[in-house]
Amino acid sequence: MSGLPRRLQDLIDEVVEATGLELPDRHDVARELAAHFEDGLAAGRSEEELVERFGDPVEAAREIARARRRRAHGTRTHDGRWWMSVGEWWQQARQSVRALARAPGFSALVILTLALGVGANTAVFTVLDAVLLAPLPYAEPDRLVRMYEADREDPGSLGFVRSPVMAAARGWTEVFDSAASLYTYRETGADLTDGEQPRRINVLRVSAGYFETLGIPPLMGRTFRENETTGPGEAIGRDPLTRVVILGHGLWREQFGEDPDIVGRTVRMDGESWEVVGVMPAGFEEPFGPPADAWIPQDLRSGGYNSWGNFYLSSVARLRDGVTIEAAQARIDALFAGLAESVGEGDSRWRPRIVPLHDDVVGDTRRAMLLLLAGAAGLVLLSACVNVANLVFARGLGRARDAALRSALGSGRLRLMAGTLVESAVLATAGGLLGVLLGWFGVRTLLAVAPDALPLVTTPELSLRVFGFALGVSALALLVFGLAPALRTASVAPGDALRHGERGSTGGGRLRAVRDGLVVVQVAAGLVLLTGAGLLTRSFLSLQDVALGVESEGVLSFEVHLPAARYPEGIDRHRFHDIFQRRVAELPGVEAAGAVSWLPVNGRYHSWGVAWAPGGAELNDDNARWENSDIRVIHGDYFAALGVDLRSGAEPEALDPDGEPVVWVNETFARQVFDGEQPVGQRVWAGNRLRTVAGVVEDIPFDTRGATSRKLYIPHAQFADNRNWALIQTVAVRGDMAAVREEIRGVLASMDAQLVLYKPTPFAAVLAGGRARDRFATLLMGAFATLALILTLVGTYGVLAHAVAGRRREIGIRMALGADHQSVRGMVLRYATRLMIPGVVFGLLAAWYGSRWMEGLLFRIGTLDPVVYGATVTLVVAACLLAGWVPARRATRVDPARALAAE
């Protein structure tokens, strides 16, 4: 006791004297109090703090005496009660806040660690809630279904619906309350010329009953009437029966200043007058495709392009109340069989099939990706909680002597637990609130990094459900890292703790096992996340290596829509594109200019029936073989602009618009159809006429994973009369793309000031959009894995550092007996290895089991890829050994004399 400051020594003497105990007891009390003060000073507490925490010495002495008598007689007083009043809890909370403020490093580390775990989970749950959990924002969304037509031999091959099937479905009232169709085959636009400058808007064609089926009434005006989508005559052209339009709320606000008298007005779209009949409310989101700025009627009259052979419509329907999906599908099968038989389509291979609208919007792959990321976020939270638990354990052990003294003074178990529980609650609340803030910024970042990766009909927001989730996560974390230390504090043996404290032990074998087990869990969780991130990264890198057959860098793509009112004939449209592309090609910095009806690597489009004669025979009705093939309409130097190689035959610029109808085919078509024969010169029926193959071009995949199909390229010069084709311009640029874009805008304005240069986008960005989902999953999983690895590193280091600190006396004895630095370091590293090996084993097993959920997200890589597993294990082992190296080096610096003297 001679080493204590004078002030504390005087306090001990005053307490001992006031107890009135006999000499042996006085000696025991003095020794226990001195050990308590020594530990407090060693932990960094000031003399003032220790005196303040001790309280009135005379009263303390009396409490010690009473406590010793109570222990001797087995009695308990009111001060040792198990319950606490509200005021006492509040006082405890204030004391806990002050205690945490006196340990800013510990508090900040715990709060930040917990915030990272809660933030990661809040961000993922917010997106998960918007995409998977929240109901679609329509009336009674569980009754909404989407109808497809599927191959009866392959029910999973869901395709567009034919107009006659849709017309019949609207009459199946025993199944549907209502049904409607819409055109999502391709995004449709119109040039809105009301205002200072023309504006390109996204227009969706829908049938009467569409908004009623979704259960969303207009904000103003009305929706479409039956006679505006059906009636006498055939659907020959692409124009609607009547020129009426419903405006979206955003367009009404931005373009018309929320004019309350907009209903009944006419607006100019594509050079035609359209009557505004309604305005939709704010927040209305389309469940299909990109958001619409306006809606126009879909012509559903029979005949013409609404034939039994044209699959081009999408459909949404509302089931009758109480009708299940299974019962509805069975009744639809029976109704359709009767319909097909009556019109001579009984042998058709296609049948209607319905799926829940919510499932259709989300998709199986996106659902699997989100659930995978939710599991990853949960592992991050587990790692964070393990880290915090170890920190709180260490703090609790450092305060064991203080708890023992309070127990000796008569405090009950609840009082002993209260301090630790309240501190944990304060930390959990602070960490949870910061985690919610980080989670919200995380959601904004996720949507900015990959805006096209998720089907967001419902906007992610911090709803009450998200707040409830964050609160639940924080409460769970409180239980995980607060309850166990609190129970440990309450079970402290006063005599042992006051005599020995933490010196010479690490808190007992049971506590060591708990802390070691937590590290094993953390290592396993980190390995699982690293394995998942590694698999997704290798998969994403494999995607980058896919040969797409096109030049993506230095290519600008954009659309120019030609309104039928000003360009009514095919020759007018062809002449415009011809002159426009020639003038663009003459601009400085432009190497080639062309156009296509659908950009590569953006999915399949216009899969039409194509006929040919096997064996190179002359094609006729008897020997024609029909198969679906993808059709593309091209103009100008399209192949040159995208760097598509011509394998054989003539270049498109050599085309005679008035000559023999021709077509270019890809290598897959040439191989599958002509089977080794020379394709050039062969005849095929495509695009409603017999055409001669003019050339063969290399395969271009229709998706980012390299999938190819039979493909034909029809020149726009010989196909412009078929319809008003929406061509996407492709311009190969050398130099400043932004400057060239503005030059092109000037060329367009000089030719027709009412036309809009729409969606000018580098083609590389278009291709990147096709990889948005894979990039999103890879980046997020990589971030989670990095965070988990850091937490594992910190957690393992903390446990080993604490173990070394607790074994200073043992290490001092070993070194005094001749142990060298290498053997001491080996002892610590072997301890690290004992924690690491079971963590790696359990982590590998969990990674193997969990990787099965990733199969649909991986490309050209197996779920048991040895490279990924080998690299992951190596990284985790290196991290654990690194975490153990610093404490191992610190152990070799223990001074044997000081370590032994300290005991």
Side-chain angles (χ1 to χ4, degrees):
M1 295 186 291
S2 59
L4 284 175
R6 184 72 252 172
R7 184 179 181 187
L8 296 179
Q9 186 62 59
D10 290 344
L11 180 60
I12 291 174
D13 293 340
E14 187 176 358
V15 170
V16 171
E17 182 65 29
T19 59
L21 298 173
E22 298 298 327
L23 186 60
D25 292 333
R26 289 190 181 194
H27 180 72
D28 289 342
V29 171
R31 185 177 58 189
E32 291 173 356
L33 293 177
H36 173 67
F37 288 143
E38 286 173 359
D39 284 352
L41 292 173
R45 296 192 176 98
S46 65
E47 294 179 39
E48 291 76 9
E49 181 184 351
L50 291 173
V51 172
E52 178 186 355
R53 290 170 63 86
F54 196 84
D56 178 49
V58 175
E59 182 61 30
R62 292 170 179 167
E63 285 295 331
I64 291 175
R66 285 196 295 266
R68 295 175 69 87
R69 287 194 296 269
R70 286 195 302 269
R71 286 200 300 271
H73 298 290
T75 61
R76 181 180 295 275
T77 67
H78 179 71
D79 290 331
R81 65 183 183 267
W82 286 86
W83 56 272
M84 291 173 61
S85 67
V86 174
E88 288 172 319
W89 277 110
W90 175 246
Q91 181 183 10
Q92 182 63 63
R94 294 173 59 188
Q95 292 175 355
S96 296
V97 171
R98 287 197 297 268
L100 291 173
R102 288 193 294 267
F106 165 81
S107 302
L109 184 58
V110 169
I111 291 172
L112 180 59
T113 301
L114 182 60
L116 290 173
V118 173
N121 280 267
T122 300
V124 172
F125 180 80
T126 303
V127 176
L128 198 70
D129 179 59
V131 177
L132 294 183
L133 303 180
L136 295 176
Y138 312 116
E140 299 181 89
D142 291 343
R143 293 169 55 196
L144 292 174
V145 296
R146 182 170 183 178
M147 188 168 72
Y148 288 94
E149 288 202 63
D151 190 332
R152 61 184 174 187
E153 297 179 359
D154 182 13
S157 59
L158 304 178
F160 289 100
V161 181
R162 292 168 287 184
S163 181
V165 176
M166 191 62 241
R170 299 184 73 193
W172 294 340
T173 55
E174 58 192 288
V175 179
F176 302 130
D177 270 350
S178 60
S181 63
L182 60 158
Y183 180 85
T184 61
Y185 195 81
R186 174 176 178 146
E187 183 179 331
T188 303
D191 292 344
L192 180 66
T193 52
D194 283 35
E196 295 181 0
Q197 289 186 338
R199 172 179 174 175
R200 185 72 170 171
I201 62 174
N202 186 28
V203 175
L204 186 63
R205 295 188 227 159
V206 301
S207 72
Y210 174 68
F211 299 105
E212 288 77 6
T213 299
L214 294 178
I216 305 296
L219 175 68
M220 300 168 55
R222 63 174 177 85
T223 57
F224 298 131
R225 296 169 177 155
E226 285 294 328
N227 62 1
E228 290 169 340
T229 57
T230 59
E234 288 192 348
I236 299 175
R238 301 286 167 177
D239 293 335
L241 276 171
T242 55
R243 298 191 184 282
V244 292
V245 61
I246 298 173
L247 302 181
H249 193 276
L251 182 64
W252 174 56
R253 181 186 65 248
E254 297 165 10
Q255 197 76 6
F256 302 100
E258 297 186 343
D259 180 4
D261 300 320
I262 189 67
V263 174
R265 277 184 51 183
T266 58
V267 297
R268 298 284 294 179
M269 294 194 310
D270 286 346
E272 300 281 358
S273 295
W274 296 73
E275 180 188 357
V276 178
V277 297
V279 177
M280 293 306 294
F284 173 68
E285 295 286 348
E286 282 290 339
F288 308 99
D293 298 307
W295 295 264
I296 60 176
Q298 171 67 40
D299 190 350
L300 292 181
R301 290 178 296 174
S302 61
Y305 64 80
N306 281 332
S307 67
W308 276 93
N310 193 8
F311 297 77
Y312 78 101
L313 289 174
S314 292
S315 171
V316 61
R318 179 175 293 276
L319 295 176
R320 289 182 63 86
D321 192 16
V323 177
T324 65
I325 292 285
E326 294 75 15
Q329 185 64 65
R331 187 57 188 147
I332 287 171
D333 291 342
L335 291 169
F336 179 77
L339 170 68
E341 191 67 32
S342 66
V343 296
E345 292 285 329
D347 59 345
S348 172
R349 57 192 284 192
W350 300 97
R351 296 287 185 271
R353 184 184 171 202
I354 58 173
V355 296
L357 183 60
H358 187 276
D359 293 353
D360 182 77
V361 169
V362 174
D364 292 339
T365 303
R366 288 190 176 101
R367 185 190 308 275
M369 177 187 70
L370 286 174
L371 292 176
L372 174 71
L373 295 177
L379 289 177
V380 170
L381 178 64
L382 177 62
S383 293
C385 288
V386 167
N387 253 21
V388 172
N390 279 326
L391 289 170
V392 175
F393 267 129
R395 179 173 170 84
L397 289 173
R399 300 163 67 187
R401 188 177 295 277
D402 179 64
L405 181 62
R406 292 174 62 196
S407 178
L409 293 175
S411 292
R413 176 168 294 193
L414 179 59
R415 289 174 177 273
L416 294 178
M417 294 173 60
T420 304
L421 282 175
V422 171
E423 280 192 11
S424 299
V426 171
L427 293 171
T429 302
L433 291 176
L434 181 58
V436 170
L437 183 62
L438 292 177
W440 178 242
F441 281 110
V443 170
R444 301 295 96 192
T445 302
L446 293 180
L447 298 181
V449 168
D452 301 323
L454 298 169
L456 295 175
V457 177
T458 303
T459 304
E461 58 184 12
L462 286 180
S463 62
L464 289 177
R465 182 157 38 197
V466 174
F467 273 115
F469 171 81
L471 180 63
V473 167
S474 300
L476 176 63
L478 168 63
L479 289 176
V480 170
F481 70 74
L483 188 57
L487 292 173
R488 169 67 187 175
T489 300
S491 62
V492 170
D496 291 342
L498 286 170
R499 280 191 296 273
H500 302 294
E502 194 180 354
R503 297 173 300 173
S505 73
T506 58
R510 181 179 300 176
L511 186 56
R512 264 202 313 274
V514 171
R515 297 194 67 194
D516 291 354
L518 290 176
V519 173
V520 170
V521 170
Q522 195 167 40
V523 171
L527 193 144
V528 171
L529 285 175
L530 284 169
T531 302
L535 290 172
L536 287 176
T537 300
R538 284 210 70 193
S539 174
F540 189 70
L541 292 176
S542 297
L543 277 176
Q544 311 302 310
D545 295 334
V546 172
L548 300 180
V550 292
E551 290 292 336
S552 59
E553 298 299 327
V555 177
L556 178 68
S557 67
F558 57 91
E559 291 184 42
V560 175
H561 174 68
L562 302 179
R566 298 200 306 277
Y567 300 88
E569 303 296 332
I571 191 171
D572 301 323
R573 297 188 287 271
H574 170 67
R575 184 184 298 114
F576 174 89
H577 285 295
D578 212 37
I579 297 173
F580 176 69
Q581 288 179 8
R582 187 164 60 248
R583 292 181 60 180
V584 168
E586 293 170 353
L587 293 174
V590 174
E591 296 181 333
V596 67
S597 58
W598 194 254
L599 285 174
V601 201
N602 272 263
R604 302 191 65 175
Y605 178 69
H606 275 326
S607 185
W608 289 356
V610 176
W612 65 90
E618 188 67 24
L619 179 63
N620 55 56
D621 291 339
D622 294 330
N623 64 4
R625 178 179 173 183
W626 288 87
E627 291 288 349
N628 279 3
S629 299
D630 293 345
I631 302 293
R632 301 289 183 269
V633 179
I634 60 172
H635 193 284
D637 291 341
Y638 166 70
F639 293 142
L642 286 188
V644 179
D645 288 340
L646 181 70
R647 301 303 194 199
S648 62
E651 295 284 354
E653 60 262 29
L655 170 73
D656 179 6
D658 300 320
E660 178 184 20
V662 295
V663 67
W664 279 261
V665 301
N666 69 346
E667 293 174 296
T668 296
F669 188 97
R671 182 176 60 257
Q672 293 181 0
V673 171
F674 301 116
D675 194 21
E677 296 184 16
Q678 173 56 251
V680 177
Q682 299 281 358
R683 308 266 281 176
V684 297
W685 182 272
N688 301 326
R689 63 193 307 181
L690 199 61
R691 300 177 183 274
T692 301
V693 176
V696 179
V697 299
E698 67 175 313
D699 283 335
I700 302 175
F702 60 77
D703 66 11
T704 56
R705 303 200 166 202
T708 59
S709 62
R710 291 187 296 269
K711 194 172 298 180
L712 296 90
Y713 299 89
I714 299 177
H716 183 258
Q718 296 179 346
F719 208 42
D721 283 329
N722 175 265
R723 68 186 65 179
N724 187 0
W725 287 95
L727 297 182
I728 304 172
Q729 310 292 318
T730 53
V731 179
V733 177
R734 180 184 64 253
D736 188 352
M737 186 174 291
V740 171
R741 181 191 62 211
E742 295 309 310
E743 292 285 343
I744 294 173
R745 202 185 300 276
V747 170
L748 185 63
S750 67
M751 293 182 64
D752 188 336
Q754 295 187 49
L755 296 180
V756 177
L757 190 75
Y758 186 53
K759 287 186 178 179
T761 309
F763 186 53
V766 175
L767 294 181
R771 297 183 172 124
R773 187 201 67 191
D774 298 279
R775 183 172 60 252
F776 174 81
T778 302
L779 288 175
L780 197 55
M781 193 69 145
F784 287 165
T786 302
L787 183 56
L789 183 64
I790 294 173
L791 292 174
T792 300
L793 189 67
V794 172
T796 306
Y797 166 78
V799 169
L800 295 176
H802 184 266
V804 169
R807 301 174 67 180
R808 288 174 60 85
R809 176 173 171 77
E810 177 189 344
I811 293 172
I813 293 174
R814 286 175 178 267
M815 297 183 70
L817 294 176
D820 58 12
H821 289 184
Q822 184 175 354
S823 64
V824 172
R825 279 196 298 265
M827 178 185 69
V828 178
L829 291 177
R830 283 193 296 273
Y831 181 31
T833 303
R834 287 199 300 271
L835 299 179
M836 174 188 66
I837 290 177
V840 169
V841 172
F842 289 134
L844 285 174
L845 292 174
W848 166 75
Y849 181 79
S851 64
R852 295 181 297 176
W853 295 90
M854 302 179 62
E855 268 188 289
L857 300 175
L858 300 180
F859 174 69
R860 291 183 181 174
I861 182 174
T863 57
L864 297 177
D865 183 72
V867 174
V868 171
Y869 279 80
T872 299
V873 171
T874 301
L875 188 58
V876 170
V877 169
C880 291
L881 293 180
L882 177 62
W885 180 252
V886 177
R889 283 179 57 84
R890 186 175 296 168
T892 62
R893 297 173 183 171
V894 171
D895 184 346
R898 293 184 61 184
L900 293 173
E903 187 63 24

